Amino acid sequence: SPTPACASCPPPSPRSRPLRTATPAAAMARPAARMEAYLRGDDHALSALFRVLAPRLRRFLQTRIDDADMVEDVVQQTFIKAHLGRHAFRARATDGRHSDDAIVAWFLAIARNTAIDGLRSERRHQRGRNHHRRFWTATALRSWPSRR
């Protein structure tokens, strides 16, 4: 039986396992690995990125948009814009590689800007037709940090 690290620590559980090193499959769970694969031409990597990042984008957008359909539309548009702008993202890598945080931040920025554009479009539409606000909360635009 393994001994505890110190006298006051409880003994390790017999069921505990040693930490495993990252395998190629485990590495693909990271957004950076998926983005790198996508930029190399792996079409399945974009689907994998969607599965990893879409829930986080939804949570981010749901704090500002009260309509689930509009949130889903913005998430879809975010991935379309990311696909169209992937070459610009590739150029942003400092050493040829991207960090997970940089990829998540890039997708969140696209989602934020897409949502702001949608809100502005909705406001213009409402002014012209004088309809009730259907997709956006009244305070959503004020709650977004300003674009720089």
Side-chain angles (χ1 to χ4, degrees), residues 47 61 76 82 86 90 99 108 112 138:
S47 298
L61 293 166
Q76 295 290 329
R86 69 191 179 278
R90 180 186 313 217
S99 71
L108 288 172
R112 176 191 164 274

Side-chain angles (χ1 to χ4, degrees), residues 17-136:
R17 296 181 183 159
L19 292 176
R20 293 188 299 179
T21 58
T23 62
M28 279 303 285
R30 296 180 38 242
R34 292 175 185 209
M35 187 67 168
E36 296 293 334
Y38 174 60
L39 293 174
R40 284 191 310 268
D42 181 356
D43 294 332
H44 298 291
L46 184 61
S47 298
L49 266 173
F50 183 85
R51 285 191 306 275
V52 169
L53 295 177
R56 184 165 182 176
L57 294 175
R58 283 186 197 101
R59 285 190 305 272
F60 171 73
L61 293 166
Q62 286 168 345
T63 62
R64 307 237 173 7
I65 303 171
D66 65 352
D67 184 279
D69 291 333
M70 183 55 75
V71 167
E72 206 51 46
D73 288 345
V74 172
V75 169
Q76 295 290 329
Q77 290 173 14
T78 297
F79 277 88
I80 291 169
K81 289 180 179 184
H83 170 71
L84 296 173
R86 69 191 179 278
H87 301 294
F89 182 78
R90 180 186 313 217
R92 294 176 60 195
T94 55
D95 60 353
R97 300 188 60 114
H98 300 92
S99 71
D100 289 339
D101 291 340
I103 291 163
V104 171
W106 188 61
F107 274 88
L108 288 172
I110 294 170
R112 176 191 164 274
N113 294 339
T114 301
I116 289 172
D117 291 345
L119 178 57
R120 287 181 179 151
S121 174
E122 187 69 20
R123 279 188 167 181
R124 280 192 296 271
H125 175 75
Q126 288 177 5
R127 278 189 215 130
R129 303 229 173 147
N130 200 19
H131 288 294
H132 293 290
R133 181 163 301 216
R134 182 171 161 218
F135 296 117
W136 306 91

Side-chain angles (χ1 to χ4, degrees), residues 2-25:
T3 58
C6 68
S8 63
C9 296
S13 166
R15 292 184 182 169
S16 65
R17 296 181 183 159
L19 292 176
R20 293 188 299 179
T21 58
T23 62

